[in-house]
Amino acid sequence: GAENQVGGMARHEEVLEKAEEHLFLDPDEAKAARQILLPRARREREEMEATAERARALQWAVGPEGPDDDLRRAVLERMVEEEEEDDGPTFSEEDLDLGMREAKAKYDADTFRAWKRARKKAR
């Protein structure tokens, strides 16, 4: 289930952290892979942990030992609100005023793509 996937991603993080120790990887390639992939692996693991937590809450809310109907409804409504709020990083007006080169240097690849979408939407 979700817990197994979280554990798997944690193992991927550990491998990336030790990438330069692997004999089959060139040290520069290992460093580049770690710089690019480790932040993404951490974000994915955090997202997986949050998903697993929401799944446990949902299972409890709709299960036989869950809350009464009014509380059940409130829990489910809050879960839907949280899901709607969680649509990626947010950027300040100052962030959106950055040039492409500045933003590309400042953000990792995924955040840079999100920045470009946010900037396009804001204009």
Side-chain angles (χ1 to χ4, degrees):
E3 280 81 15
N4 290 337
Q5 290 180 339
V6 170
M9 187 57 71
R11 286 188 293 281
H12 287 298
E13 282 182 64
E14 186 177 328
V15 168
L16 287 167
E17 288 172 351
K18 297 178 181 180
E20 291 180 37
E21 298 174 14
H22 296 291
L23 297 176
F24 60 90
L25 286 175
D26 177 84
D28 290 335
E29 289 175 357
K31 184 177 180 181
R34 190 179 70 236
Q35 287 176 334
I36 293 169
L37 297 175
L38 190 56
R40 176 182 273 176
R42 286 186 175 140
R43 279 192 310 276
E44 292 294 324
R45 180 188 42 79
E46 290 169 0
E47 190 173 309
M48 288 174 168
E49 288 172 343
T51 299
E53 185 177 321
R54 285 191 300 267
R56 285 189 298 273
L58 181 59
Q59 186 175 20
W60 171 79
V62 299
E65 296 189 21
D68 62 49
D69 288 341
D70 290 336
L71 182 54
R72 181 184 325 262
R73 186 176 299 111
V75 168
L76 294 173
E77 286 173 355
R78 181 62 188 137
M79 289 178 76
V80 169
E81 289 171 7
E82 286 177 357
E83 193 66 31
E84 290 172 352
E85 292 170 1
D86 188 26
D87 56 356
T90 56
F91 300 95
S92 69
E93 288 295 321
E94 186 176 294
D95 291 334
L96 295 174
D97 288 338
L98 292 172
M100 288 288 234
R101 285 185 183 176
E102 293 171 303
K104 194 168 190 174
K106 182 177 180 177
Y107 302 120
D108 62 65
D110 291 333
T111 307
F112 178 66
R113 281 193 291 277
W115 173 85
K116 286 195 318 187
R117 285 191 300 272
R119 185 175 185 216
K120 185 177 181 180
K121 190 183 283 188
R123 292 180 183 222

